[in-house]
Amino acid sequence: QVQLVESGGGLVQAGGSLKLSCAASGRPFNSYAMGWFRQAPGKEREFVAASTPSGSTTDYADSVRGRFTISRDNAKNTMYLQMNSLKPEDTAVYYCAASPRSRYLFRNSKEYDYWGQGTQVTVSS
């Protein structure tokens, strides 16, 4: 029903910036709430940020608030995660996800029906 593809990951030094993209196809992009999650080796997948369909309301994990910014361009069916002041503990595989329950924002990964394949972000100290 919807396909998600992340891109933009890579290697960056601590204090640097990186911008991730999530391209969607298959269904109207503006009907989904969107989220970013990440998973480090040996750890559980954790919530990073979420956005309502219009992008007017956002939510962030405490660990990234003030450093990361979630945004979306519905005309391009693309969601972004701008990551600034990166820290080594930000190193993880980052996943984008979509939820058809568009009137709500969720931090629980189980509320998202569609997932991308992930993109690796590595922050060196």
Side-chain angles (χ1 to χ4, degrees):
Q1 294 181 347
V2 62
Q3 296 176 345
L4 305 174
V5 180
E6 302 97 334
S7 63
L11 175 64
V12 65
Q13 292 184 341
S17 298
L18 205 60
K19 188 174 184 178
L20 306 183
S21 298
C22 175
S25 62
R27 294 293 297 273
F29 184 67
N30 61 6
S31 66
Y32 292 93
M34 302 292 293
W36 285 99
F37 292 79
R38 66 187 183 186
Q39 187 168 22
K43 297 184 178 180
E44 296 183 354
R45 187 170 299 184
E46 65 176 350
F47 169 79
V48 176
S51 171
T52 54
S54 68
S56 61
T57 302
T58 58
D59 187 28
Y60 297 92
D62 290 342
S63 60
V64 307
R65 184 175 290 109
R67 299 188 298 118
F68 291 10
T69 302
I70 187 172
S71 63
R72 59 197 297 167
D73 187 339
N74 289 339
K76 297 181 178 180
N77 292 338
T78 303
M79 176 178 65
Y80 306 95
L81 184 67
Q82 178 65 52
M83 304 183 294
N84 298 326
S85 301
L86 283 163
K87 304 175 181 179
E89 50 263 45
D90 294 319
T91 295
V93 176
Y94 283 71
Y95 300 88
C96 66
S99 172
R101 274 76 67 183
S102 59
R103 300 183 69 177
Y104 304 94
L105 291 180
F106 304 102
R107 292 189 170 192
N108 191 333
S109 63
K110 295 181 179 179
E111 297 291 345
Y112 293 83
D113 293 348
Y114 308 102
W115 294 83
Q117 82 290 342
T119 185
Q120 177 70 48
V121 173
T122 302
V123 184
S124 61
S125 60

